[in-house]
Amino acid sequence: MITMKFGGTSVGDIQRLQEVGSIVRSNLFHNPVVVASAMGGVTNTLLETAQFAVRRDTARVGNNIEALKKKHFAIVDALVRQPERKKEVIEGHSQNFEELSNLFHGVSLLRELSIRSLDAIASFGEILSCVQIAAILTDCGIPAEFVDSRTLVRTDARFGEAAVDFSFTNERIRERLMPLVEKKTVPVVTGFIGSTEDGLTTTLGRSGSDYTGSIVGAALGSEEIWIWTDVDGVMTADPRYVKGAVVLPQISYREAAEMSYFGAKVIHPKTMLPAIESGIPIRIKNTFNPSHPGTLIASVSNSVERIVKNVTSIDGLGLVAVEGNGMVGVPGVSARIFTALARVQVNVMMISQASSEHNVCVVIPQQDCARAVKELRAEFEIDIARRTIDDIKLQEPMSIVAVVGEGMKGLRGIAGRTFSAVAKAGVNIVAIAQGSSELNISLLVEQADARKAVAAIHDLVVCH
Ligand code: ADP
Ligand code: ASP
Ligand code: MG
């Protein structure tokens, strides 16, 4: 059995969906289970429309709903030919659009838009997409059935990025999908969405369909999990910004997780977790070029071919520094910093402290900076008044540039080559961090310099 997840671009237009049909058909002997995203751009449009609704911009809400209807109905019109089935899908879509319009109306009336409402609104993207995919497959002679993952994936109530209750979820997935697979019906499962015990709709975080793909694949004990996307595989850098980026034939789970955490958008960072536990390989493949072998993500990396696998960057960050001569040798300062940040729910992405202990730097998302600085100023109010701590300093916008590769472990010179590549590009490094796992070297630079640094590292260290 193979679990196949199709991303937004892969289900985004008539031609792509025909390709999905032929990919599923040619893999029928694998007993495929399909997980799919919303059509490309739809989730963004839904979230944007919610913002228009809360501002009571009814004209824009109306325009967006019309555009979404047009997009989906055009697909049904072109690809679902059997009249009864077409009628059924059109009725289903119309009902979903009516519900969606009601939600926007509710948001407008209340002038209130919670993350919980955003999840309910966003869920329509995957529902509409998967309903039509199941119909399209059935229409071309491949028995398929739409499965709403909210009946399978049980989560907590952390809307926007809910955590999965695996014991419940795995059981439900097996119960619901195995019988379909056994009777040779392809399940078409919505990615990205789940529900709480009370039946409230949640999402697994942006790009979360990859995660659903591996949750389903692992629960079913699939032989492999295939993530179909719009590039040939995981590449040495983001191909949109680095022209010479090349495909990596094989990387490890840890490398993939590290890269995606630091901005390689091609796969969601949590995707690797269920696969690691059950030892199932993940393959990244291109719907535009299905015969390409893609990238295999498994327990071992292929370090012979390339030591440093990839350079990524993540923008939109702020550097918060706590500085002062009075901090030197005083126990507990770091503990107070992290406790204060945890109190206001700020996630720390990178930490750096030089051994002089004169300065502790934390890198956090820009949207959390104001909250973090306020809390830290309150925490260190007395120390600041006594001048043992100078002040809490903030620098933004910043980017983390990360170099990833398991082969770097124990190998001298990679850090040196990385720093000199960045220096050659004329970019100033603001802070550095390397974990003792030596899987990753992270550099903090000003956001305006990030692309230059990535390109230089790519050319001089990754693909030299
Ligand atoms: P999907 O809709 O299929 O989930 P995404 O847009 O989420 O697709 O992810 C695929 C995109 O990720 C590619 O088109 C590419 O621009 C981007 N990307 C960023 N970093 C990398 C990388 N290191 N390797 C491959 N693609 C990358
Ligand atoms: N449709 C969702 C998003 O755009 C989930 C996904 O595509 O993986 O974030
Ligand atoms: Mg994606």
Side-chain angles (χ1 to χ4, degrees):
M1 186 195 297
I2 302 281
T3 297
M4 298 188 182
K5 177 261 173 178
F6 291 94
T9 354
S10 303
V11 298
D13 62 34
I14 295 171
Q15 210 191 338
R16 287 298 93 216
L17 282 161
Q18 281 170 328
E19 188 60 48
V20 168
S22 77
I23 289 171
V24 172
R25 183 191 303 286
S26 56
N27 286 289
L28 279 177
F29 68 100
H30 278 313
N31 295 318
V33 172
V34 169
V35 173
S37 292
M39 294 175 75
V42 166
T43 310
N44 285 345
T45 306
L46 289 167
L47 299 177
E48 179 195 66
T49 313
Q51 298 299 337
F52 293 148
V54 77
R55 296 203 295 264
R56 294 194 175 167
D57 187 343
T58 35
R60 285 205 170 89
V61 172
N63 286 344
N64 277 6
I65 294 178
E66 279 318 304
L68 288 171
K69 279 187 182 164
K70 209 170 144 199
K71 197 176 174 103
H72 289 86
F73 284 123
I75 298 289
V76 180
D77 199 42
L79 298 178
V80 187
R81 277 156 300 224
Q82 207 270 332
E84 271 302 299
R85 190 171 302 119
K86 182 177 238 159
K87 190 167 158 254
E88 204 180 300
V89 180
I90 289 175
E91 277 170 14
H93 273 17
S94 304
Q95 206 177 331
N96 277 318
F97 276 115
E98 201 176 310
E99 257 181 65
L100 183 60
S101 301
N102 287 340
L103 284 180
F104 288 135
H105 189 56
V107 168
S108 280
L109 287 177
L110 293 167
R111 288 204 172 189
E112 185 186 72
L113 182 59
S114 61
I115 306 176
R116 173 171 152 177
S117 310
L118 282 171
D119 277 359
I121 289 165
S123 69
F124 283 86
E126 268 65 16
I127 294 169
L128 291 162
S129 169
C130 291
V131 164
Q132 64 193 27
I133 295 169
I136 293 165
L137 292 178
T138 314
D139 205 70
C140 48
I142 304 168
E145 190 172 315
F146 166 72
V147 179
D148 185 335
S149 59
R150 290 175 299 179
T151 63
L152 311 179
V153 180
R154 160 81 57 88
T155 71
D156 65 7
R158 262 187 291 155
F159 297 98
E161 186 143 13
V164 175
D165 169 353
F166 280 95
S167 55
F168 181 91
T169 302
N170 288 343
E171 191 62 36
R172 283 292 294 142
I173 289 174
R174 285 190 281 267
E175 247 171 46
R176 174 81 173 87
L177 303 187
M178 277 307 200
L180 292 178
V181 175
E182 273 155 21
K183 65 170 191 187
K184 303 280 176 205
T185 295
V186 179
V188 182
V189 185
T190 52
F192 182 48
I193 60 177
S195 72
T196 64
E197 199 176 349
D198 307 334
L200 298 169
T201 299
T202 54
T203 63
L204 306 180
R206 291 306 307 269
S207 295
S209 293
D210 296 335
Y211 188 28
T212 312
S214 89
I215 293 169
V216 169
L220 294 174
S222 294
E223 274 158 70
E224 292 194 357
I225 297 160
W226 293 358
I227 311 272
W228 289 94
T229 182
D230 60 356
V231 281
D232 283 337
V234 180
M235 304 176 85
T236 48
D238 188 335
R240 287 169 299 181
Y241 306 121
V242 179
K243 276 197 206 74
V246 298
V247 176
L248 295 160
Q250 183 171 341
I251 57 176
S252 68
Y253 293 124
R254 292 177 54 191
E255 287 173 332
E258 203 87 5
M259 289 170 193
S260 53
Y261 180 75
F262 285 108
K265 192 188 167 243
V266 63
I267 187 163
H268 188 280
K270 285 187 187 161
T271 313
M272 271 55 72
L273 297 172
I276 292 174
E277 276 193 21
S278 41
I280 300 174
I282 301 173
R283 218 178 265 283
I284 312 290
K285 289 183 65 75
N286 190 354
T287 27
F288 293 80
N289 188 13
S291 60
H292 192 286
T295 298
L296 181 70
I297 306 176
S299 15
V300 285
S301 144
N302 180 348
S303 302
V304 181
E305 182 187 288
R306 202 183 295 283
I307 289 165
V308 179
K309 293 289 164 46
N310 166 290
V311 52
T312 53
S313 64
I314 180 160
D315 292 342
L317 307 174
L319 170 72
V320 177
V322 181
E323 277 181 21
N325 287 323
M327 284 165 61
V328 181
V330 178
V333 175
S334 300
R336 286 169 64 196
I337 294 173
F338 295 114
T339 311
L341 293 174
R343 242 185 342 255
V344 285
Q345 309 253 313
V346 172
N347 180 33
V348 177
M349 304 197 58
M350 174 174 156
I351 305 161
S352 165
Q353 181 195 18
S355 62
S356 72
E357 299 181 35
H358 172 264
N359 165 314
V360 177
C361 299
V362 292
V363 179
I364 60 176
Q366 237 179 323
Q367 75 258 22
D368 297 338
C369 284
R371 204 161 85 237
V373 170
K374 190 169 165 225
E375 190 67 17
L376 288 169
R377 287 207 172 117
E379 172 65 39
F380 290 101
E381 196 182 354
I382 297 171
D383 311 73
I384 293 170
R386 284 187 192 142
R387 298 190 192 284
T388 48
I389 282 178
D390 298 342
D391 190 13
I392 313 297
K393 293 199 177 111
L394 173 65
Q395 193 180 348
E396 58 179 342
M398 308 298 287
S399 298
I400 292 177
V401 173
V403 179
V404 175
E406 289 207 41
M408 286 163 22
K409 194 173 174 69
L411 207 79
R412 263 169 294 174
I414 303 278
R417 265 170 45 214
T418 303
F419 301 146
S420 58
V422 176
K424 263 194 201 143
V427 172
N428 178 41
I429 300 175
V430 180
I432 299 167
Q434 178 185 20
S436 61
S437 68
E438 297 185 46
L439 185 66
N440 157 328
I441 300 170
S442 311
L443 315 176
L444 189 73
V445 300
E446 284 182 16
Q447 188 170 296
D449 289 335
R451 301 261 174 278
K452 247 195 304 182
V454 167
I457 296 172
H458 188 265
D459 294 346
L460 297 172
V461 185
V462 186
C463 277
H464 58 292

